[in-house]
Amino acid sequence: MIKNELSKTDLKTSDFDFDLPPELIAQHPSERRDGARLMVVHRDTGEIEHKIFSQITEYLHAGDTLVINDSKVIPARIYGKKMRDDGEGADCEFVLLRQKSLDVWETLVRPGRRLKGGARVSFGGGKLVATVKDIVDDGTRVVEFSYDKSGGATIYSVLDEIGKMPLPPYITEELKNNDDYQTVYAREPGSAAAPTAGLHFTEELLDDIESSGVDIARVMLHVGLGTFRPVKVDKIADHVMHGEFFSVSDESAAKINATRARGGRIIAVGTTSCRTLESASDDDGKVAAMTDDTGIFIYPGYKFKAVDALITNFHLPQSTLIMLVSALAGTELIKKAYAEAIKEKYRFFSFGDAMLIC
């Protein structure tokens, strides 16, 4: 099982800061998904290796289970006009964050102050209309969408027509192909951001992994922007995560539990898969089949229950993500690894290179 640092109730957000040269922020994916670089961090010895992602197979063994998040990013960014009795009003930007019911969504809106309860916004020349139902905070609204449902149209088919992929603000280049921000195994639409560690896998690489005797289990967590929002409190223990919807099937839970019973490792692909497993497991690491919301916040001092190793990207300073990987590998080892990544000019963030913590 995983070793943890002592719990520190006085951990500061500033403890997870570092200086990153802007030129290391990846603006586009690698030419080949599995051609990205891979840093392998060994927790027991502190050794750091430099590989190519396709060499991940060297560190996965027969009897292990690789856990992937098959949530699919939707083109959740839409641009519209506020509707007024005398015509069109101000420009508005929405990002759909979380589906509450069929056509009711929690959305990030800009500018938020202009949209009071009952306000209506038209998108795509009237193909989609949003009515504000509730105000969550200054920038977030619960809205109900209406559209022509003839011909079997759904909110997802309308978004495919008029929406854009919700790339993080640090990616300033235009996305040439929406599939570049989608894992090859994505199938459950609902995420506002990609589970980016999975972007490195090709179908061929997954086939090679399975043929080597490694099981692959699917879980689902719809990624919201809360995962990536900055921590705005001084003490990280005071930070509250936004809830995200997840599910673990009976089949996947059985596969994961059988792996643990026979002494195999559970290797999470991405922090979203990791958070899903830790949310669905009991104190003995047994994972339950379930569908629920999670606001789990993992930072140093957390005792991992279900996850033995993690494949992840290089994360933003002071983010909940770098706190999670620090909980797994140890803060000092992560600081050492990130310093080496910067020295060796690894590519950072969503389209960047990968790290295996094992």
Side-chain angles (χ1 to χ4, degrees):
M1 291 296 291
I2 290 168
K3 297 177 181 178
N4 292 274
E5 294 181 312
L6 294 175
S7 178
K8 298 177 181 177
T9 57
D10 59 346
L11 279 172
K12 306 286 189 184
T13 301
S14 57
D15 293 334
F16 300 89
D17 196 14
F18 62 92
D19 293 322
L20 179 69
E23 63 270 19
L24 297 186
I25 300 174
Q27 294 297 314
H28 51 81
S30 300
E31 186 173 337
R32 180 174 171 83
R33 287 176 183 257
D34 60 1
R37 297 171 73 186
L38 174 68
M39 176 182 286
V40 182
V41 178
H42 297 270
R43 289 176 293 139
D44 288 345
T45 65
E47 180 189 3
I48 294 174
E49 298 182 88
H50 302 284
K51 300 284 184 174
I52 301 299
F53 193 82
S54 58
Q55 295 174 291
I56 192 82
T57 53
E58 298 176 14
Y59 302 92
L60 307 178
H61 312 307
D64 291 340
T65 289
L66 193 71
V67 181
I68 59 177
N69 177 11
D70 65 4
S71 180
K72 186 175 185 179
V73 187
I74 58 175
R77 177 169 276 121
I78 51 179
Y79 299 92
K81 296 274 189 181
K82 185 177 180 181
M83 299 173 69
R84 296 169 27 176
D85 293 339
D86 58 352
E88 291 183 341
D91 292 335
C92 297
E93 176 188 350
F94 279 31
V95 178
L96 281 67
L97 298 179
R98 180 183 177 87
Q99 189 175 32
K100 300 182 77 68
S101 62
L102 184 61
D103 292 319
V104 177
W105 288 72
E106 185 177 342
T107 61
L108 181 68
V109 302
R110 296 191 183 98
R113 294 176 184 173
R114 295 181 183 174
L115 296 180
K116 309 299 183 184
R120 301 175 75 222
V121 180
S122 173
F123 303 92
K127 292 179 179 178
L128 188 66
V129 174
T131 302
V132 177
K133 294 296 185 181
D134 193 17
I135 298 173
V136 180
D137 57 35
D138 279 347
T140 308
R141 302 288 187 272
V142 174
V143 305
E144 183 172 8
F145 290 104
S146 58
Y147 49 93
D148 183 359
K149 294 182 173 65
S150 62
T154 66
I155 185 69
Y156 297 114
S157 63
V158 178
L159 290 172
D160 283 340
E161 186 177 351
I162 68 172
K164 292 183 177 292
M165 296 298 263
L167 293 178
Y170 49 76
I171 296 178
T172 57
E173 291 187 9
E174 190 75 19
L175 187 64
K176 295 179 180 178
N177 184 347
N178 280 354
D179 287 342
D180 286 343
Y181 195 58
Q182 203 80 264
T183 63
V184 297
Y185 46 75
R187 66 180 183 184
E188 297 287 342
S191 276
T196 53
L199 296 178
H200 301 292
F201 288 93
T202 64
E203 291 177 355
E204 294 80 7
L205 180 57
L206 289 168
D207 287 343
D208 288 345
I209 289 169
E210 280 196 292
S211 64
S212 71
V214 176
D215 271 338
I216 296 178
R218 291 173 177 262
V219 298
M220 190 281 294
L221 181 142
H222 286 327
V223 188
L225 298 186
T227 300
F228 305 96
R229 279 178 170 163
V231 178
K232 295 181 178 180
V233 294
D234 292 331
K235 289 187 177 181
I236 66 173
D238 294 334
H239 178 70
V240 178
M241 296 284 286
H242 286 242
E244 293 170 307
F245 179 76
F246 77 91
S247 67
V248 180
S249 68
D250 289 326
E251 178 185 359
S252 291
K255 209 178 260 192
I256 292 163
N257 293 331
T259 300
R260 184 162 301 283
R262 66 174 177 257
R265 296 176 304 163
I266 306 301
I267 301 155
V269 178
T271 57
T272 59
S273 296
C274 175
R275 293 175 65 241
T276 298
L277 292 171
E278 293 299 314
S279 299
S281 63
D282 63 18
D283 289 340
D284 295 324
K286 185 176 181 179
V287 172
M290 62 190 303
T291 297
D292 205 347
D293 291 338
T294 181
I296 190 171
F297 180 20
I298 297 174
Y299 56 90
Y302 177 84
K303 182 180 179 182
F304 284 83
K305 301 171 293 185
V307 173
D308 298 302
L310 174 68
I311 299 167
T312 189
N313 281 19
F314 291 89
H315 303 297
L316 278 73
Q318 299 190 28
S319 65
T320 61
L321 305 178
I322 194 170
M323 295 171 189
L324 184 153
V325 298
S326 296
L328 181 58
T331 303
E332 293 308 313
L333 182 53
I334 287 297
K335 286 181 178 179
K336 174 185 173 183
Y338 271 56
E340 187 156 337
I342 292 169
K343 177 184 175 183
E344 297 296 328
K345 300 190 183 306
Y346 274 68
R347 301 164 77 238
F348 275 66
F349 306 163
S350 296
F351 285 141
D353 294 316
M355 172 187 288
L356 168 64
I357 302 173
C358 60

